[in-house]
Amino acid sequence: MTDLMTQLGPLAVGSRLKRMSDAYMKAGTLFYEKAGVDFETRSFTLFYLLTQQSPLSVMECAEKLGISHPAVIALARDLETKGLIQSEKSDADARKRWLSISEKGRQAMPNLQKLWSVMEEASAQLIQSRRHNLLIALEEMENGLAEQDLFDRFQQVYKKKLIEEVEIIDYAPQYQGDFARLNYAWIEKFFKIEDPDRKALDAPEEHILDPGGYIFLARADGQIVGAAALINEGDGHYELAKMAVDEAYQGRQIGKKLCLYAIEQARNIGARELFLGSNTKLVPAIQLYKSVGFYQVENRNSPYARANIRMAIDL
């Protein structure tokens, strides 16, 4: 019968590796005990490292073993208690400790090496008798984690799922209040409301849609949480404007999804140019625009006093 961890698949891979590690540790500890050797399996890598290179600082051990500084200290404490290694304070830096193999540790080596050869052979037999080589798979996994750690991978997938949950819909008259609310909120937070704002936000049909523009809204959790507009400037020129995301929903990639959607719509309608006006103090917004392909161009006269930068994208 398949156990729960196996059923969970990738979700429980860390727990399954821990379970396998525990099995190795338990068997190793019992093997040492039956052989009459006072040695902990978990201390093997640090002890072996120090038999090959001594002395080493705690930090150097942590770097070479790929484990944390506190983990090295815990292992070293156990080995030092058994008398297998010794530690000394650095003459140059009292906070730094040097770890090295002790005389007792050297004397224990011949017997330990005999036990290690048995453990290595038994482990190799187990690995080689399987269809897939665990050592190769582990190396591949470690290489993958070196390229991008698990936390970053979790974040990447999480953001992707968040953005997939957001629906982009076309403007309808019942959303005028949401369109105005979202934009007034961010403008009042950073700047002052200007006359062009009031016209576009209070009467979007007259000032954006009727002249050939478009308004897109982002809906999540059943409510409107973001907005963007394409304003027709004539002769195939469109401005990406009135970009806003509810503050409670920022960080969920909604602005990026709106931006990409607006760019695609501009391409679909055959726009010759898509540009936007912004302010350099809005650093996250500028970074967002750059991430989707906008670049800074010569600033031109804008109806907004706050617009001190103009950006465009190649369609």
Side-chain angles (χ1 to χ4, degrees), residues 169-181 204 217 219 224:
I169 62 174
D170 290 328
Y171 176 87
Q174 65 263 35
Y175 300 129
Q176 186 275 323
D178 292 305
F179 182 58
R181 169 182 58 83
L217 302 167
R219 182 163 59 192
I224 302 302

Side-chain angles (χ1 to χ4, degrees), residues 31-42:
F31 185 57
Y32 287 126
E33 183 182 318
K34 292 295 184 181
V37 177
D38 186 16
F39 192 82
E40 294 289 337
T41 309
R42 66 189 182 94

